[in-house]
Amino acid sequence: MLMISPRMASGMQEKQYTPCLLSFFIYNPTFGPREGEEEKKILFYHPSEVEKNEKIRNVGLCEAIVQFTRTFCPTKPAKSLHTQKNRQFFFEPEDNFWIVMVVRNPMIEKPSKDGKPPTIEYQEEEILDTVYGAVVRQCYSMYKVSSSMFYIIFHTYLQTLHLQFCDLLDVFAGISFFPLDKMTYLKIQSFVNRVEESLSLIKYTAFLYNDQLIWSGLEQDDMRILYKYLTTSLFPRHSEPELVGRDSPLRPEVAGNLLHYGRFLTGPTNLKDPEAKFRFPKIFVSAEDGYEELHLIVYKAMSAAACFMISASVELTRDFCEQLDSLVGPQLTLLASDICEQFTINRRTSGPEKEPQFKFIYFNHMNLAEKSTIHMRKTASVCLTSVHADLMKILGDINCDFARVDEDEEIIVKAMTDYWVVGKKSDQRELYVILNQKNANLIEVNEEVKRLCATQFNNIFFLD
């Protein structure tokens, strides 16, 4: 996707172009070792309409770069190649299988006087290897968990890829958890237990509200990948205006008539349709002896979504889907209404929100929990941040410094725009804070970050 934003400089209009995907391909050098068989190496190439010889030439160039860099460090081949116009990222997830992503660098088009062609200024240092390298690794993770055809997986994933919105959250690939009081959480746990007891075919369950996780029976790494798929691909495709809490006119009738707002996001779109298909997407999750294949049933009512996973060896029938719909639909609708009501009450009791002097991103490597007040909205197709892109770049640079060492540390930066940027790494947790206090000194900034930790993370230990 190409975005153009005009800006004024020296009285003339400039055009700013964001990063965009030039090509994405997968190859195996052992599949076409002899001359004339080079095309056999290419397993996937996007865009597919590129002429065959150009595909072979681009793959051959990447293969040569990888082999050349092995002469310097055989165990650590090249991860990226920087040029003036683009950046290439290399990833070898399995022996001899290479994923390559080529991204065009951001650039500024400056108009020239006297009718001359405009000059192009490439901003090659605006792209962070850690961010876009993580995007490539996520693509492989999505492939690992899916049982769809090779081409379909990667083609579908690339449709959800918007490189201009990639930032530090893509490096973490964490999970946003929905905050709940104990009683409501126990209601959800009771709901999960009842459904799994009534429908014994269900092996694992995950419960989300408003695209945030509340409950999961999966291993963390499996849930991380499934969460990415749900929030960037499945949910956006089925987005619609949601009904809010107990104000719904259907609410009083739910208990008596078993009416509900539940519907399948995967599988049959209409249970009453005699031609309905009862096919569900299949995923792979970790098991004791490798991986197990499962049907993925995603069922949604208002802003609540329940994911049920059933062994792929079981054939799912109309009777089973009708039983699940009648059991889960009313209960999930009531739960969604209760969660919405509780969330609304909590917001009222906390009072009107004031614009804070700080914004932060928090990530816990142990439970993959992430929280951001910098991102007003972060989805696959849009990313609204409340800070300038230059500050997001600083956050990425600090994260790169943290990745180079294992020790806990703290970094404080004064930006050119007079903002203060603080990064803290402590006990498998990372905290990044942006402070809008241009007249503050180092001591005052440090005290402000301590106050933030005391109010927002009072049950989490950060080293001073």
Side-chain angles (χ1 to χ4, degrees), residues 286-292:
S286 303
E288 291 182 1
D289 55 347
Y291 292 93
E292 60 176 323

Side-chain angles (χ1 to χ4, degrees), residues 50-292:
V50 172
E51 198 266 334
K52 183 180 76 171
N53 288 334
E54 184 178 348
K55 292 180 182 178
I56 294 173
R57 187 166 57 250
N58 291 338
V59 170
L61 176 61
C62 291
E63 189 178 352
I65 292 169
V66 169
Q67 291 301 323
F68 175 71
T69 56
R70 282 191 191 276
T71 61
F72 301 99
C73 187
T75 59
K76 292 184 179 180
K79 292 184 177 179
S80 66
L81 174 66
H82 298 207
T83 66
Q84 181 189 28
K85 294 184 179 181
N86 59 50
R87 185 82 56 93
Q88 297 184 34
F89 298 93
F90 313 101
F91 179 47
E92 186 186 21
E94 301 175 21
D95 288 344
N96 294 315
F97 286 89
W98 286 89
I99 301 177
V100 180
M101 182 173 73
V102 184
V103 179
R104 193 203 60 202
N105 291 328
M107 62 183 187
I108 299 175
E109 183 182 287
K110 298 182 177 180
S112 301
K113 297 180 181 179
D114 305 326
K116 295 181 180 179
T119 58
I120 303 296
E121 180 182 302
Y122 289 94
Q123 300 176 296
E124 56 264 36
E125 296 307 316
E126 294 301 309
I127 287 184
L128 290 173
D129 283 357
T130 51
V131 172
Y132 292 93
V135 171
V136 179
R137 292 192 298 273
Q138 286 171 16
C139 182
Y140 174 69
S141 296
M142 299 287 276
Y143 161 71
K144 269 204 316 181
V145 80
S146 176
S147 66
S148 300
M149 292 179 61
F150 188 86
Y151 174 81
I152 295 174
I153 297 167
F154 288 106
H155 179 74
T156 303
Y157 179 77
L158 294 177
Q159 303 308 307
T160 68
L161 203 57
H162 298 272
L163 296 179
Q164 71 273 24
F165 299 137
C166 295
D167 57 28
L168 189 57
L169 291 189
D170 292 281
V171 177
F172 295 144
I175 298 172
S176 178
F177 289 88
F178 190 84
L180 270 185
D181 64 286
K182 291 180 181 179
M183 285 305 298
T184 310
Y185 182 80
L186 287 174
K187 286 182 182 179
I188 293 169
Q189 193 172 22
S190 175
F191 161 78
V192 171
N193 292 338
R194 286 198 305 272
V195 172
E196 290 185 348
E197 184 178 355
S198 302
L199 302 173
S200 58
L201 291 178
I202 296 174
K203 295 194 70 173
Y204 308 101
T205 303
F207 191 103
L208 298 91
Y209 184 85
N210 201 24
D211 293 1
Q212 293 178 290
L213 184 65
I214 294 178
W215 167 271
S216 171
L218 287 172
E219 293 289 334
Q220 276 189 4
D221 287 338
D222 292 327
M223 189 62 232
R224 168 191 249 172
I225 302 169
L226 179 60
Y227 180 80
K228 175 78 174 177
Y229 164 71
L230 293 173
T231 57
T232 63
S233 181
L234 184 65
F235 290 164
R237 291 204 308 266
H238 295 85
S239 61
E240 66 177 12
E242 298 291 358
L243 299 161
V244 181
R246 297 181 186 272
D247 294 335
S248 163
L250 194 59
R251 169 73 193 199
E253 304 173 17
V254 170
N257 298 335
L258 296 181
L259 299 175
H260 58 81
Y261 295 113
R263 60 195 177 96
F264 288 92
L265 293 193
T266 59
T269 54
N270 183 3
L271 284 175
K272 296 180 180 179
D273 182 1
E275 303 296 324
K277 304 294 184 182
F278 295 90
R279 290 196 296 266
F280 294 85
K282 296 177 183 177
I283 62 172
F284 288 97
V285 301
S286 303
E288 291 182 1
D289 55 347
Y291 292 93
E292 60 176 323

